[in-house]
Amino acid sequence: MSSSSEKRILVLASGRGSNFGALAQAIADGTLKGCRITGLLCNKKDAPALAVAAHWKIPATVVESRGRLRTEYETQLLSEMKKHRPDLICLAGYMRLLGPEVITEFEGRMVNIHPSLLPKFAGLHPQRQALDAGAKESGCTVHWVTQEMDAGPIIDQERVPVLPGDTVESLSDRILEAEHRTYVRAVGKIISK
Ligand code: GRF
């Protein structure tokens, strides 16, 4: 049953949506209490994350980013984000850099998950970076979003071994399992404060 004291979580995703699904699942099975996901904002109209939203009966809105001026896109995105009156925004595979205006508006209320042990392997293709560096371990990080990419204060991390013969795919799959646990733990920490 929903109540007005529940924390309102808004999720932004661009792709598969498995982290979004992990959060929805944790709320549904009672692992995460005292919160609900009010909506999904997605910047791609064909993203599988939209089917995840439909499965969990979570309202989804597409704010298409492709082929639009950044300022126009971000103005619409900001307006859609505000409508949710979010206590917490979870970036879950949201593959666009957010502009300073959006980050300022929600600073201290927005978190991201990144598939490496930050500050190691920030930026694009962190699993590939870990393999190229010959790392013996990698993992994932949930952190607060600040103006500097992948550099905000860390909320939670989980380590994952890099195994002999790992490919980008096998390492990504192992890290993804850890991501789902870590995102749920991190959101639990935040909302219990
Ligand atoms: C995850 O690896 C996440 O850390 C990264 O993008 C991927 C999204 O996966 N930012 P999914 O859409 O949550 O399945």
Side-chain angles (χ1 to χ4, degrees):
M1 201 194 293
S2 67
S3 93
S4 57
S5 64
E6 281 180 329
K7 301 277 191 226
R8 300 170 61 83
I9 298 176
L10 172 65
V11 178
L12 268 62
S14 304
R16 180 176 50 190
S18 73
N19 279 288
F20 167 43
L23 292 172
Q25 171 74 58
I27 291 170
D29 68 24
T31 306
L32 272 178
K33 295 186 175 61
C35 59
R36 71 189 169 98
I37 300 175
T38 63
L40 170 75
L41 295 184
C42 185
N43 66 315
K44 292 192 174 167
K45 62 179 185 315
D46 53 359
L50 294 166
V52 178
H55 173 81
W56 291 105
K57 299 189 169 40
I58 293 170
T61 305
V62 175
V63 181
E64 186 67 64
S65 57
R66 202 172 173 175
R68 296 177 73 190
L69 285 177
R70 186 185 182 103
T71 48
E72 188 191 297
Y73 165 69
E74 293 228 335
T75 301
Q76 190 192 353
L77 181 69
L78 185 55
S79 146
E80 291 295 334
M81 290 171 87
K82 284 179 177 172
K83 283 184 194 168
H84 286 269
R85 294 178 288 106
D87 297 300
L88 181 66
I89 295 163
C90 293
L91 305 184
Y94 177 73
M95 301 309 280
R96 294 265 312 200
L97 278 181
L98 290 168
E101 203 192 337
V102 174
I103 295 178
T104 301
E105 177 73 31
F106 296 111
E107 195 147 6
R109 281 188 288 161
M110 183 152 57
V111 297
N112 180 44
I113 187 153
H114 184 81
S116 77
L117 294 173
L118 289 172
K120 285 188 181 153
F121 312 132
L124 288 176
H125 311 303
Q127 300 95 339
R128 160 62 56 208
Q129 291 186 53
L131 290 173
D132 288 350
K136 293 275 187 295
E137 65 170 12
S138 190
C140 61
T141 303
V142 176
H143 65 92
W144 293 105
V145 174
T146 56
Q147 299 288 351
E148 197 185 339
M149 188 184 67
D150 297 335
I154 291 170
I155 301 158
D156 206 345
Q157 292 183 306
E158 191 169 319
R159 290 170 190 283
V160 162
V162 178
L163 301 178
D166 257 343
T167 61
V168 170
E169 289 70 32
S170 64
L171 179 59
S172 300
D173 288 350
R174 196 174 311 117
I175 293 175
L176 191 66
E177 285 181 30
E179 288 184 43
H180 297 162
R181 293 188 291 270
T182 307
Y183 223 158
V184 170
R185 270 199 320 274
V187 169
K189 275 189 199 175
I190 294 164
I191 61 177
S192 65
K193 274 190 183 150

